[in-house]
Amino acid sequence: MNDITGLLLMTVLLAAYLIIFRKKIKNWGELNSMQKSLFLRPLIILGAGIILMIYQILK
């Protein structure tokens, strides 16, 4: 898989995750800490992956 294709795929996954779970984002104050951590974990992993892919491509 090409680096650019992987970066594009991860960006699409991040956007889809945010679109699917936008209801949780609106009700952020009502979530307990466990629900917040389970919601944020994939965002952090995808965000770090995107940053590392950009670094790899630019290097």
Side-chain angles (χ1 to χ4, degrees):
M1 181 175 4
N2 193 342
D3 288 341
I4 302 295
T5 307
L7 180 62
L8 182 63
L9 178 66
M10 288 174 36
T11 306
V12 168
L13 283 173
L14 180 63
Y17 184 78
L18 289 174
I19 290 171
I20 291 171
F21 291 108
R22 67 178 172 247
K23 187 175 182 181
K24 282 191 178 183
I25 295 171
K26 290 180 182 177
N27 298 328
W28 187 258
E30 299 172 4
L31 299 176
N32 62 24
S33 62
M34 183 64 160
Q35 291 172 331
K36 287 179 183 178
S37 67
L38 290 175
F39 176 74
L40 287 176
R41 188 174 296 153
L43 289 177
I44 293 170
I45 292 171
L46 281 172
I50 289 171
I51 291 171
L52 289 173
M53 287 291 286
I54 290 172
Y55 177 73
Q56 180 183 0
I57 291 169
L58 294 177
K59 188 175 179 184

Tab-separated table of all heavy atoms in Angstrom:
chain	number	residue	atom	x	y	z
A	1	MET	N	0.845	-1.165	0.000
A	1	MET	CA	0.000	0.000	0.000
A	1	MET	C	0.898	1.238	0.000
A	1	MET	O	1.863	1.337	0.732
A	1	MET	CB	-0.914	0.002	1.223
A	1	MET	CG	-1.816	1.186	1.231
A	1	MET	SD	-3.091	1.339	2.507
A	1	MET	CE	-2.927	0.035	3.608
A	2	ASN	N	0.555	2.157	-0.804
A	2	ASN	CA	1.284	3.402	-0.930
A	2	ASN	C	1.114	4.232	0.350
A	2	ASN	O	0.093	4.165	1.024
A	2	ASN	CB	0.720	4.153	-2.139
A	2	ASN	CG	1.591	5.298	-2.548
A	2	ASN	OD1	2.424	5.755	-1.794
A	2	ASN	ND2	1.370	5.763	-3.758
A	3	ASP	N	2.116	5.043	0.686
A	3	ASP	CA	2.040	5.874	1.891
A	3	ASP	C	0.901	6.881	1.812
A	3	ASP	O	0.189	7.107	2.791
A	3	ASP	CB	3.351	6.615	2.104
A	3	ASP	CG	4.460	5.700	2.569
A	3	ASP	OD1	4.143	4.606	3.069
A	3	ASP	OD2	5.638	6.077	2.443
A	4	ILE	N	0.728	7.475	0.653
A	4	ILE	CA	-0.336	8.461	0.481
A	4	ILE	C	-1.706	7.792	0.606
A	4	ILE	O	-2.629	8.352	1.201
A	4	ILE	CB	-0.209	9.174	-0.884
A	4	ILE	CG1	1.150	9.871	-1.015
A	4	ILE	CG2	-1.338	10.145	-1.101
A	4	ILE	CD1	1.358	11.009	-0.043
A	5	THR	N	-1.837	6.589	0.089
A	5	THR	CA	-3.098	5.857	0.193
A	5	THR	C	-3.407	5.533	1.654
A	5	THR	O	-4.541	5.666	2.099
A	5	THR	CB	-3.028	4.552	-0.623
A	5	THR	OG1	-2.628	4.851	-1.953
A	5	THR	CG2	-4.355	3.847	-0.629
A	6	GLY	N	-2.406	5.127	2.400
A	6	GLY	CA	-2.588	4.852	3.825
A	6	GLY	C	-2.983	6.098	4.592
A	6	GLY	O	-3.853	6.057	5.466
A	7	LEU	N	-2.355	7.219	4.274
A	7	LEU	CA	-2.696	8.481	4.921
A	7	LEU	C	-4.126	8.889	4.593
A	7	LEU	O	-4.877	9.309	5.477
A	7	LEU	CB	-1.715	9.570	4.495
A	7	LEU	CG	-1.922	10.953	5.088
A	7	LEU	CD1	-1.765	10.902	6.598
A	7	LEU	CD2	-0.956	11.929	4.476
A	8	LEU	N	-4.510	8.739	3.354
A	8	LEU	CA	-5.876	9.069	2.943
A	8	LEU	C	-6.887	8.152	3.635
A	8	LEU	O	-7.923	8.622	4.110
A	8	LEU	CB	-6.014	8.949	1.419
A	8	LEU	CG	-7.358	9.311	0.834
A	8	LEU	CD1	-7.687	10.773	1.090
A	8	LEU	CD2	-7.371	9.024	-0.650
A	9	LEU	N	-6.580	6.876	3.741
A	9	LEU	CA	-7.471	5.926	4.401
A	9	LEU	C	-7.643	6.265	5.883
A	9	LEU	O	-8.758	6.260	6.402
A	9	LEU	CB	-6.928	4.502	4.251
A	9	LEU	CG	-7.718	3.403	4.937
A	9	LEU	CD1	-9.085	3.256	4.293
A	9	LEU	CD2	-6.956	2.104	4.879
A	10	MET	N	-6.545	6.603	6.553
A	10	MET	CA	-6.640	6.954	7.966
A	10	MET	C	-7.403	8.256	8.172
A	10	MET	O	-8.158	8.392	9.141
A	10	MET	CB	-5.239	7.047	8.568
A	10	MET	CG	-4.613	5.690	8.723
A	10	MET	SD	-2.895	5.616	9.258
A	10	MET	CE	-2.698	6.915	10.389
A	11	THR	N	-7.270	9.207	7.270
A	11	THR	CA	-8.014	10.457	7.361
A	11	THR	C	-9.505	10.214	7.159
A	11	THR	O	-10.338	10.783	7.872
A	11	THR	CB	-7.484	11.459	6.326
A	11	THR	OG1	-6.074	11.605	6.490
A	11	THR	CG2	-8.152	12.810	6.495
A	12	VAL	N	-9.845	9.351	6.222
A	12	VAL	CA	-11.252	9.013	5.992
A	12	VAL	C	-11.833	8.293	7.204
A	12	VAL	O	-12.966	8.551	7.612
A	12	VAL	CB	-11.399	8.175	4.700
A	12	VAL	CG1	-12.778	7.568	4.579
A	12	VAL	CG2	-11.078	9.023	3.482
A	13	LEU	N	-11.061	7.382	7.801
A	13	LEU	CA	-11.522	6.684	9.005
A	13	LEU	C	-11.753	7.657	10.156
A	13	LEU	O	-12.734	7.538	10.893
A	13	LEU	CB	-10.510	5.629	9.426
A	13	LEU	CG	-10.500	4.345	8.618
A	13	LEU	CD1	-9.334	3.471	9.059
A	13	LEU	CD2	-11.801	3.610	8.788
A	14	LEU	N	-10.878	8.633	10.311
A	14	LEU	CA	-11.035	9.630	11.363
A	14	LEU	C	-12.291	10.463	11.143
A	14	LEU	O	-13.074	10.687	12.068
A	14	LEU	CB	-9.802	10.528	11.433
A	14	LEU	CG	-9.804	11.636	12.478
A	14	LEU	CD1	-9.867	11.027	13.871
A	14	LEU	CD2	-8.592	12.508	12.334
A	15	ALA	N	-12.518	10.897	9.907
A	15	ALA	CA	-13.717	11.680	9.598
A	15	ALA	C	-14.984	10.851	9.803
A	15	ALA	O	-15.975	11.345	10.360
A	15	ALA	CB	-13.637	12.195	8.169
A	16	ALA	N	-14.959	9.594	9.381
A	16	ALA	CA	-16.133	8.732	9.549
A	16	ALA	C	-16.417	8.488	11.025
A	16	ALA	O	-17.579	8.497	11.447
A	16	ALA	CB	-15.906	7.404	8.831
A	17	TYR	N	-15.384	8.294	11.825
A	17	TYR	CA	-15.561	8.082	13.264
A	17	TYR	C	-16.209	9.302	13.903
A	17	TYR	O	-17.116	9.181	14.727
A	17	TYR	CB	-14.208	7.784	13.905
A	17	TYR	CG	-14.294	7.466	15.373
A	17	TYR	CD1	-14.716	6.216	15.800
A	17	TYR	CD2	-13.947	8.409	16.336
A	17	TYR	CE1	-14.802	5.915	17.145
A	17	TYR	CE2	-14.026	8.114	17.672
A	17	TYR	CZ	-14.455	6.866	18.080
A	17	TYR	OH	-14.541	6.580	19.412
A	18	LEU	N	-15.751	10.491	13.518
A	18	LEU	CA	-16.322	11.711	14.081
A	18	LEU	C	-17.761	11.927	13.626
A	18	LEU	O	-18.589	12.410	14.396
A	18	LEU	CB	-15.457	12.914	13.714
A	18	LEU	CG	-14.104	12.974	14.426
A	18	LEU	CD1	-13.276	14.109	13.872
A	18	LEU	CD2	-14.296	13.108	15.915
A	19	ILE	N	-18.074	11.574	12.392
A	19	ILE	CA	-19.442	11.721	11.899
A	19	ILE	C	-20.375	10.734	12.590
A	19	ILE	O	-21.488	11.082	12.986
A	19	ILE	CB	-19.480	11.550	10.367
A	19	ILE	CG1	-18.814	12.756	9.697
A	19	ILE	CG2	-20.903	11.387	9.867
A	19	ILE	CD1	-18.598	12.592	8.211
A	20	ILE	N	-19.928	9.504	12.761
A	20	ILE	CA	-20.773	8.477	13.370
A	20	ILE	C	-21.061	8.802	14.836
A	20	ILE	O	-22.177	8.632	15.309
A	20	ILE	CB	-20.109	7.089	13.235
A	20	ILE	CG1	-20.119	6.656	11.774
A	20	ILE	CG2	-20.807	6.064	14.105
A	20	ILE	CD1	-19.299	5.421	11.491
A	21	PHE	N	-20.067	9.293	15.554
A	21	PHE	CA	-20.230	9.522	16.983
A	21	PHE	C	-20.426	10.994	17.333
A	21	PHE	O	-20.089	11.432	18.433
A	21	PHE	CB	-19.027	8.956	17.741
A	21	PHE	CG	-18.980	7.462	17.719
A	21	PHE	CD1	-18.045	6.794	16.961
A	21	PHE	CD2	-19.893	6.721	18.454
A	21	PHE	CE1	-18.000	5.408	16.929
A	21	PHE	CE2	-19.857	5.339	18.439
A	21	PHE	CZ	-18.912	4.683	17.669
A	22	ARG	N	-20.991	11.773	16.436
A	22	ARG	CA	-21.201	13.194	16.721
A	22	ARG	C	-22.219	13.412	17.829
A	22	ARG	O	-22.204	14.443	18.489
A	22	ARG	CB	-21.581	13.941	15.457
A	22	ARG	CG	-22.923	13.572	14.899
A	22	ARG	CD	-23.250	14.394	13.663
A	22	ARG	NE	-24.461	13.894	13.050
A	22	ARG	CZ	-24.516	13.309	11.881
A	22	ARG	NH1	-23.433	13.190	11.166
A	22	ARG	NH2	-25.648	12.871	11.406
A	23	LYS	N	-23.109	12.446	18.068
A	23	LYS	CA	-24.074	12.572	19.158
A	23	LYS	C	-23.364	12.552	20.511
A	23	LYS	O	-23.740	13.275	21.429
A	23	LYS	CB	-25.097	11.448	19.078
A	23	LYS	CG	-26.236	11.584	20.058
A	23	LYS	CD	-27.276	10.510	19.853
A	23	LYS	CE	-28.431	10.696	20.818
A	23	LYS	NZ	-29.434	9.655	20.665
A	24	LYS	N	-22.315	11.724	20.636
A	24	LYS	CA	-21.543	11.692	21.871
A	24	LYS	C	-20.798	12.998	22.088
A	24	LYS	O	-20.612	13.433	23.222
A	24	LYS	CB	-20.550	10.532	21.868
A	24	LYS	CG	-21.166	9.207	22.162
A	24	LYS	CD	-20.097	8.173	22.396
A	24	LYS	CE	-20.750	6.855	22.753
A	24	LYS	NZ	-19.787	5.825	23.065
A	25	ILE	N	-20.360	13.607	21.008
A	25	ILE	CA	-19.653	14.877	21.128
A	25	ILE	C	-20.602	15.953	21.650
A	25	ILE	O	-20.217	16.778	22.483
A	25	ILE	CB	-19.043	15.286	19.770
A	25	ILE	CG1	-17.969	14.282	19.343
A	25	ILE	CG2	-18.440	16.680	19.838
A	25	ILE	CD1	-17.471	14.463	17.935
A	26	LYS	N	-21.850	15.944	21.188
A	26	LYS	CA	-22.822	16.934	21.646
A	26	LYS	C	-23.166	16.743	23.113
A	26	LYS	O	-23.430	17.694	23.825
A	26	LYS	CB	-24.097	16.843	20.802
A	26	LYS	CG	-23.914	17.325	19.392
A	26	LYS	CD	-25.199	17.212	18.600
A	26	LYS	CE	-24.991	17.646	17.170
A	26	LYS	NZ	-26.199	17.483	16.367
A	27	ASN	N	-23.184	15.504	23.597
A	27	ASN	CA	-23.529	15.193	24.987
A	27	ASN	C	-22.288	14.915	25.824
A	27	ASN	O	-22.306	14.056	26.707
A	27	ASN	CB	-24.473	13.982	25.036
A	27	ASN	CG	-25.765	14.244	24.324
A	27	ASN	OD1	-26.250	15.370	24.302
A	27	ASN	ND2	-26.333	13.212	23.732
A	28	TRP	N	-21.206	15.616	25.574
A	28	TRP	CA	-19.938	15.351	26.227
A	28	TRP	C	-20.028	15.492	27.746
A	28	TRP	O	-19.444	14.719	28.493
A	28	TRP	CB	-18.866	16.283	25.675
A	28	TRP	CG	-17.503	15.965	26.179
A	28	TRP	CD1	-16.824	16.625	27.144
A	28	TRP	CD2	-16.663	14.884	25.762
A	28	TRP	NE1	-15.596	16.047	27.338
A	28	TRP	CE2	-15.477	14.975	26.503
A	28	TRP	CE3	-16.805	13.873	24.825
A	28	TRP	CZ2	-14.436	14.085	26.337
A	28	TRP	CZ3	-15.763	12.987	24.670
A	28	TRP	CH2	-14.594	13.090	25.417
A	29	GLY	N	-20.767	16.474	28.225
A	29	GLY	CA	-20.873	16.711	29.658
A	29	GLY	C	-21.607	15.615	30.408
A	29	GLY	O	-21.404	15.428	31.606
A	30	GLU	N	-22.453	14.873	29.723
A	30	GLU	CA	-23.240	13.829	30.362
A	30	GLU	C	-22.521	12.481	30.420
A	30	GLU	O	-22.984	11.567	31.099
A	30	GLU	CB	-24.568	13.651	29.620
A	30	GLU	CG	-25.433	14.891	29.627
A	30	GLU	CD	-26.647	14.765	28.736
A	30	GLU	OE1	-26.863	13.677	28.167
A	30	GLU	OE2	-27.363	15.765	28.601
A	31	LEU	N	-21.404	12.353	29.727
A	31	LEU	CA	-20.673	11.083	29.706
A	31	LEU	C	-19.822	10.940	30.958
A	31	LEU	O	-19.284	11.913	31.480
A	31	LEU	CB	-19.767	11.019	28.474
A	31	LEU	CG	-20.441	11.080	27.113
A	31	LEU	CD1	-19.388	11.099	26.022
A	31	LEU	CD2	-21.385	9.926	26.915
A	32	ASN	N	-19.681	9.704	31.448
A	32	ASN	CA	-18.784	9.487	32.579
A	32	ASN	C	-17.352	9.318	32.052
A	32	ASN	O	-17.110	9.284	30.851
A	32	ASN	CB	-19.232	8.286	33.426
A	32	ASN	CG	-19.232	6.992	32.663
A	32	ASN	OD1	-18.518	6.836	31.680
A	32	ASN	ND2	-20.034	6.039	33.112
A	33	SER	N	-16.412	9.213	32.956
A	33	SER	CA	-15.006	9.187	32.547
A	33	SER	C	-14.659	7.949	31.722
A	33	SER	O	-13.815	8.013	30.827
A	33	SER	CB	-14.098	9.277	33.771
A	33	SER	OG	-14.303	8.171	34.614
A	34	MET	N	-15.296	6.817	31.998
A	34	MET	CA	-15.023	5.594	31.234
A	34	MET	C	-15.492	5.754	29.784
A	34	MET	O	-14.778	5.379	28.851
A	34	MET	CB	-15.724	4.404	31.896
A	34	MET	CG	-15.427	3.106	31.221
A	34	MET	SD	-13.687	2.745	31.385
A	34	MET	CE	-13.687	1.025	31.102
A	35	GLN	N	-16.673	6.305	29.583
A	35	GLN	CA	-17.186	6.519	28.232
A	35	GLN	C	-16.328	7.528	27.481
A	35	GLN	O	-16.089	7.369	26.282
A	35	GLN	CB	-18.630	7.000	28.286
A	35	GLN	CG	-19.608	5.948	28.752
A	35	GLN	CD	-20.994	6.518	28.971
A	35	GLN	OE1	-21.153	7.687	29.303
A	35	GLN	NE2	-22.006	5.666	28.785
A	36	LYS	N	-15.859	8.558	28.168
A	36	LYS	CA	-15.002	9.555	27.522
A	36	LYS	C	-13.685	8.932	27.083
A	36	LYS	O	-13.212	9.194	25.976
A	36	LYS	CB	-14.733	10.722	28.468
A	36	LYS	CG	-15.917	11.632	28.657
A	36	LYS	CD	-15.587	12.757	29.624
A	36	LYS	CE	-16.787	13.634	29.861
A	36	LYS	NZ	-16.500	14.711	30.831
A	37	SER	N	-13.096	8.093	27.924
A	37	SER	CA	-11.819	7.483	27.562
A	37	SER	C	-11.985	6.495	26.403
A	37	SER	O	-11.120	6.410	25.529
A	37	SER	CB	-11.187	6.787	28.762
A	37	SER	OG	-11.941	5.664	29.155
A	38	LEU	N	-13.093	5.765	26.386
A	38	LEU	CA	-13.338	4.842	25.274
A	38	LEU	C	-13.614	5.583	23.978
A	38	LEU	O	-13.333	5.084	22.888
A	38	LEU	CB	-14.503	3.909	25.605
A	38	LEU	CG	-14.232	2.864	26.680
A	38	LEU	CD1	-15.512	2.094	26.995
A	38	LEU	CD2	-13.131	1.925	26.248
A	39	PHE	N	-14.165	6.787	24.070
A	39	PHE	CA	-14.409	7.592	22.880
A	39	PHE	C	-13.116	8.226	22.369
A	39	PHE	O	-12.898	8.308	21.164
A	39	PHE	CB	-15.435	8.695	23.197
A	39	PHE	CG	-15.670	9.632	22.064
A	39	PHE	CD1	-16.406	9.237	20.968
A	39	PHE	CD2	-15.146	10.912	22.085
A	39	PHE	CE1	-16.621	10.099	19.916
A	39	PHE	CE2	-15.352	11.774	21.040
A	39	PHE	CZ	-16.095	11.376	19.951
A	40	LEU	N	-12.254	8.667	23.279
A	40	LEU	CA	-11.044	9.378	22.874
A	40	LEU	C	-9.913	8.466	22.397
A	40	LEU	O	-9.066	8.896	21.613
A	40	LEU	CB	-10.534	10.227	24.035
A	40	LEU	CG	-11.351	11.465	24.345
A	40	LEU	CD1	-10.788	12.153	25.570
A	40	LEU	CD2	-11.369	12.407	23.175
A	41	ARG	N	-9.890	7.223	22.834
A	41	ARG	CA	-8.794	6.326	22.495
A	41	ARG	C	-8.599	6.158	20.981
A	41	ARG	O	-7.474	6.329	20.484
A	41	ARG	CB	-8.984	4.976	23.173
A	41	ARG	CG	-7.796	4.062	23.019
A	41	ARG	CD	-7.965	2.799	23.809
A	41	ARG	NE	-8.025	3.138	25.228
A	41	ARG	CZ	-8.649	2.403	26.134
A	41	ARG	NH1	-9.251	1.296	25.783
A	41	ARG	NH2	-8.639	2.752	27.396
A	42	PRO	N	-9.649	5.846	20.197
A	42	PRO	CA	-9.437	5.733	18.746
A	42	PRO	C	-9.032	7.057	18.090
A	42	PRO	O	-8.258	7.067	17.141
A	42	PRO	CB	-10.791	5.265	18.214
A	42	PRO	CG	-11.513	4.725	19.378
A	42	PRO	CD	-10.992	5.425	20.569
A	43	LEU	N	-9.532	8.175	18.626
A	43	LEU	CA	-9.148	9.472	18.083
A	43	LEU	C	-7.654	9.725	18.269
A	43	LEU	O	-6.980	10.209	17.354
A	43	LEU	CB	-9.943	10.591	18.760
A	43	LEU	CG	-11.419	10.684	18.408
A	43	LEU	CD1	-12.073	11.785	19.221
A	43	LEU	CD2	-11.602	10.940	16.939
A	44	ILE	N	-7.143	9.386	19.430
A	44	ILE	CA	-5.722	9.593	19.703
A	44	ILE	C	-4.867	8.672	18.841
A	44	ILE	O	-3.851	9.096	18.273
A	44	ILE	CB	-5.435	9.380	21.202
A	44	ILE	CG1	-6.119	10.484	22.008
A	44	ILE	CG2	-3.944	9.331	21.484
A	44	ILE	CD1	-6.111	10.256	23.492
A	45	ILE	N	-5.277	7.430	18.700
A	45	ILE	CA	-4.517	6.475	17.885
A	45	ILE	C	-4.508	6.899	16.417
A	45	ILE	O	-3.456	6.902	15.767
A	45	ILE	CB	-5.080	5.054	18.053
A	45	ILE	CG1	-4.809	4.557	19.471
A	45	ILE	CG2	-4.481	4.093	17.028
A	45	ILE	CD1	-5.503	3.263	19.815
A	46	LEU	N	-5.671	7.277	15.884
A	46	LEU	CA	-5.721	7.716	14.487
A	46	LEU	C	-4.969	9.029	14.284
A	46	LEU	O	-4.270	9.197	13.281
A	46	LEU	CB	-7.173	7.871	14.037
A	46	LEU	CG	-7.905	6.594	13.682
A	46	LEU	CD1	-9.382	6.874	13.450
A	46	LEU	CD2	-7.306	5.954	12.457
A	47	GLY	N	-5.097	9.948	15.214
A	47	GLY	CA	-4.372	11.214	15.101
A	47	GLY	C	-2.870	11.014	15.119
A	47	GLY	O	-2.138	11.608	14.322
A	48	ALA	N	-2.384	10.172	16.025
A	48	ALA	CA	-0.948	9.887	16.082
A	48	ALA	C	-0.484	9.165	14.821
A	48	ALA	O	0.597	9.450	14.299
A	48	ALA	CB	-0.636	9.048	17.315
A	49	GLY	N	-1.301	8.260	14.315
A	49	GLY	CA	-0.951	7.562	13.071
A	49	GLY	C	-0.861	8.505	11.893
A	49	GLY	O	0.041	8.398	11.054
A	50	ILE	N	-1.786	9.445	11.814
A	50	ILE	CA	-1.768	10.422	10.719
A	50	ILE	C	-0.522	11.297	10.818
A	50	ILE	O	0.157	11.545	9.814
A	50	ILE	CB	-3.057	11.264	10.731
A	50	ILE	CG1	-4.239	10.403	10.297
A	50	ILE	CG2	-2.923	12.487	9.835
A	50	ILE	CD1	-5.586	11.066	10.467
A	51	ILE	N	-0.199	11.747	12.021
A	51	ILE	CA	1.000	12.580	12.199
A	51	ILE	C	2.262	11.807	11.836
A	51	ILE	O	3.160	12.327	11.157
A	51	ILE	CB	1.056	13.109	13.648
A	51	ILE	CG1	-0.059	14.127	13.858
A	51	ILE	CG2	2.421	13.726	13.955
A	51	ILE	CD1	-0.246	14.547	15.293
A	52	LEU	N	2.345	10.538	12.253
A	52	LEU	CA	3.522	9.728	11.917
A	52	LEU	C	3.625	9.448	10.419
A	52	LEU	O	4.723	9.433	9.859
A	52	LEU	CB	3.504	8.420	12.706
A	52	LEU	CG	3.771	8.556	14.199
A	52	LEU	CD1	3.564	7.216	14.890
A	52	LEU	CD2	5.164	9.081	14.453
A	53	MET	N	2.483	9.249	9.767
A	53	MET	CA	2.512	9.031	8.308
A	53	MET	C	2.971	10.293	7.580
A	53	MET	O	3.740	10.216	6.616
A	53	MET	CB	1.134	8.609	7.808
A	53	MET	CG	0.736	7.204	8.170
A	53	MET	SD	1.694	5.951	7.316
A	53	MET	CE	0.979	6.066	5.698
A	54	ILE	N	2.500	11.448	8.026
A	54	ILE	CA	2.939	12.705	7.409
A	54	ILE	C	4.442	12.883	7.612
A	54	ILE	O	5.170	13.278	6.691
A	54	ILE	CB	2.140	13.892	7.984
A	54	ILE	CG1	0.700	13.829	7.512
A	54	ILE	CG2	2.776	15.226	7.592
A	54	ILE	CD1	-0.216	14.844	8.165
A	55	TYR	N	4.913	12.577	8.817
A	55	TYR	CA	6.357	12.678	9.087
A	55	TYR	C	7.151	11.737	8.193
A	55	TYR	O	8.189	12.104	7.662
A	55	TYR	CB	6.618	12.359	10.563
A	55	TYR	CG	8.068	12.370	10.933
A	55	TYR	CD1	8.761	13.567	11.038
A	55	TYR	CD2	8.758	11.187	11.173
A	55	TYR	CE1	10.109	13.584	11.366
A	55	TYR	CE2	10.097	11.190	11.497
A	55	TYR	CZ	10.771	12.391	11.599
A	55	TYR	OH	12.096	12.392	11.908
A	56	GLN	N	6.655	10.514	8.001
A	56	GLN	CA	7.342	9.531	7.163
A	56	GLN	C	7.365	9.985	5.708
A	56	GLN	O	8.366	9.816	5.024
A	56	GLN	CB	6.665	8.178	7.272
A	56	GLN	CG	7.304	7.104	6.432
A	56	GLN	CD	6.559	5.788	6.510
A	56	GLN	OE1	5.544	5.685	7.206
A	56	GLN	NE2	7.033	4.791	5.808
A	57	ILE	N	6.279	10.564	5.237
A	57	ILE	CA	6.215	11.002	3.846
A	57	ILE	C	7.148	12.184	3.610
A	57	ILE	O	7.842	12.246	2.586
A	57	ILE	CB	4.752	11.347	3.469
A	57	ILE	CG1	3.920	10.083	3.427
A	57	ILE	CG2	4.699	12.073	2.136
A	57	ILE	CD1	2.424	10.324	3.316
A	58	LEU	N	7.192	13.114	4.546
A	58	LEU	CA	8.019	14.313	4.377
A	58	LEU	C	9.508	14.062	4.600
A	58	LEU	O	10.333	14.842	4.161
A	58	LEU	CB	7.529	15.428	5.304
A	58	LEU	CG	6.146	15.975	5.000
A	58	LEU	CD1	5.766	17.016	6.026
A	58	LEU	CD2	6.079	16.531	3.600
A	59	LYS	N	9.837	12.985	5.278
A	59	LYS	CA	11.229	12.677	5.592
A	59	LYS	C	11.990	12.184	4.413
A	59	LYS	O	11.801	11.757	3.455
A	59	LYS	CB	11.311	11.669	6.710
A	59	LYS	CG	12.702	11.456	7.216
A	59	LYS	CD	12.679	10.533	8.404
A	59	LYS	CE	14.087	10.326	8.871
A	59	LYS	NZ	14.161	9.383	9.955
